[in-house]
Amino acid sequence: MSGPQQTKESASVPPQAHEGAGAGARAPERDAFFDNAKYLAIVLVAVAHAWEPLHPDSRVVMALYMTVYTFHMPAFIVIAGYFSRSFDHSPRRVARLVTGVAVPYAVFQVAYVFWMRWLDDDRNTYVPLFEPKWLMWFLLALLLWRLTVPLWQAVRWPLPLSLAIAAAASASPSLGNDLQIQRVLQFLPFFVLGLVLRPEHFRMARQRAVRLLALPVFAGATAVAYLVAPRMEYQWLYHRESAQELGEAWWAGVGMTLALFGCAVVLTVCFFSLVPGRRTWFTALGAGTISGYLLHGFLISGARAWGWYDPEVVRQLPSSLAITSAVAAVGVTLLCTPPVRRAFGPVMEPRMAWFFRRP
């Protein structure tokens, strides 16, 4: 996510479709809290992806995995919605949406398709451009969500309406896999929540009383996840399938949508309460979470294919959890650094002045 300046309509995470001040204008200073939150959230995303091969054999890892999956993407999406509040359909902002979201989606969708086929020795050449591959669903979802911002700002009860849409989607197996529409609709309430939040809400989340409760709440959530892990399909947390596709009745989808939304909001508030508000050594890395998000999937999938999880030391729970978490955290941190951002800038944040009309 390029540049040291951040405006409220441009700091979505990831990706960041900058829509800052016009040419020659001085953009506002970046908010350290949100950059810190973005960096810590992308670390959780990478670590949780690294845990995936471990959780089938460990109830402890499964509990940790379920806890993190409950809130890490909702936290990202809430921030994306919050910084999309000023989005409209003006040519400048639409251009930034194209260069910051649509183009990276197209480039990395193709890249992931052929990368995964190369790992699997699959010689198929068909490119499913509108069937997002693994991580790519979020970029496509952000594109669609942003285009609907004026609608959510026009209706009287945006959050209840988005929850009703998400619940209906969870009970509709006929939606299919195109555009990963289930995820687009089931995660929609978190984006709309971000749209309706104000700065004072984040200040409330960072009050001392909330910080003191955060760690006990996380511990309790992990304990609950440990208890329910044998009885609950963890795929509910992916929000990519309907209730019927998970073997449940339609009304279970409605209930799980509301329950998981409530759990995610509570844990997201706890996460925000623990995020430092001051500048830290990793604050600057929060501006580069698009590169961390888009690139870490190559490392995670490559590690699986090349036998990272095969050695005995990685099959032992204490060492595997520690080593895998540390390597994933360090790896995604390096991918957020300025040299990596500059190297991939032409495909992650292209200028494309030639493509658009002059204002």
Side-chain angles (χ1 to χ4, degrees):
M1 301 183 179
S2 65
Q5 304 301 325
Q6 169 176 290
T7 62
K8 72 178 182 177
E9 69 263 45
S10 66
S12 60
V13 218
Q16 183 175 19
H18 283 290
E19 301 161 50
R26 181 182 178 86
E29 185 179 354
R30 295 184 71 97
D31 188 321
F33 167 76
F34 288 106
D35 278 338
N36 293 338
K38 291 187 290 183
Y39 167 75
L40 294 173
I42 197 62
V43 169
L44 289 175
V45 169
V47 169
H49 283 153
W51 287 346
E52 285 182 6
L54 304 176
H55 69 63
D57 301 321
S58 170
R59 191 169 170 183
V60 172
V61 177
M62 176 62 83
L64 293 171
Y65 180 83
M66 292 174 67
T67 302
V68 172
Y69 254 82
T70 300
F71 76 92
H72 71 349
M73 285 310 299
F76 264 130
I77 296 167
V78 166
I79 298 175
Y82 179 74
F83 285 107
S84 296
R85 291 172 299 158
S86 296
F87 181 83
D88 56 27
H89 291 162
S90 66
R92 179 174 63 87
R93 291 196 172 101
V94 170
R96 294 307 304 154
L97 187 61
V98 170
T99 59
V101 181
V103 171
Y105 169 78
V107 170
F108 282 88
Q109 170 70 2
V110 174
Y112 269 108
V113 166
F114 285 105
W115 170 256
M116 303 294 259
R117 287 177 184 170
W118 180 70
L119 293 178
D120 296 335
D121 196 25
D122 182 352
R123 300 183 183 277
N124 188 358
T125 58
Y126 168 67
V127 179
L129 194 59
F130 297 105
E131 298 173 23
K133 192 72 171 178
W134 195 18
L135 308 172
M136 304 314 298
W137 72 268
F138 179 71
L139 274 75
L140 186 58
L142 182 58
L143 175 67
L144 299 175
W145 291 332
R146 275 228 172 136
L147 290 173
T148 65
V149 166
L151 167 66
W152 301 113
Q153 292 176 333
V155 299
R156 191 181 296 272
W157 301 290
L159 188 57
L161 177 59
S162 67
L163 279 167
I165 291 172
S170 71
S172 304
S174 60
L175 288 177
N177 295 322
D178 290 348
L179 307 180
Q180 288 254 357
I181 196 65
Q182 280 286 356
R183 274 178 160 166
V184 172
L185 298 179
Q186 290 192 37
F187 275 112
L188 173 64
F190 299 104
F191 183 80
V192 175
L193 175 61
L195 286 176
V196 302
L197 290 178
R198 296 294 178 263
E200 55 268 26
H201 296 130
F202 289 94
R203 289 194 291 270
M204 291 171 60
R206 296 166 60 199
Q207 291 179 350
R208 177 177 172 80
V210 182
R211 288 200 302 271
L212 291 176
L213 289 172
L215 290 180
V217 169
F218 276 123
T222 306
V224 170
Y226 185 87
L227 293 174
V228 305
R231 306 172 184 85
M232 173 183 165
E233 293 286 348
Y234 66 88
Q235 288 89 345
W236 281 108
L237 300 172
Y238 296 160
H239 298 280
R240 69 183 180 196
E241 295 166 307
S242 66
Q244 294 91 325
E245 290 169 312
L246 292 173
E248 302 291 345
W250 68 268
W251 52 264
V254 175
M256 287 296 288
T257 296
L258 300 177
L260 290 177
F261 178 79
C263 293
V265 168
V266 170
L267 293 183
T268 297
V269 170
C270 292
F271 170 71
F272 286 148
S273 75
L274 298 175
V275 172
R278 66 188 185 283
R279 291 194 64 81
T280 67
W281 65 267
F282 55 79
T283 300
L285 299 175
T289 49
I290 183 173
S291 58
Y293 184 83
L294 292 175
L295 296 175
H296 86 277
F298 294 104
L299 301 183
I300 296 291
S301 55
R304 296 178 189 174
W306 298 329
W308 166 265
Y309 297 91
D310 295 340
E312 185 66 25
V313 67
V314 183
R315 290 201 294 268
Q316 302 298 319
L317 177 60
S319 57
S320 66
L321 195 59
I323 294 172
T324 301
S325 300
V327 170
V330 171
V332 77
T333 297
L334 294 175
L335 294 177
C336 293
T337 56
V340 176
R341 291 161 50 198
R342 286 193 295 269
F344 287 90
V347 292
M348 290 183 183
E349 299 163 299
R351 299 289 183 181
M352 293 182 62
W354 56 271
F355 188 75
F356 300 102
R357 296 176 179 177
R358 289 184 178 274

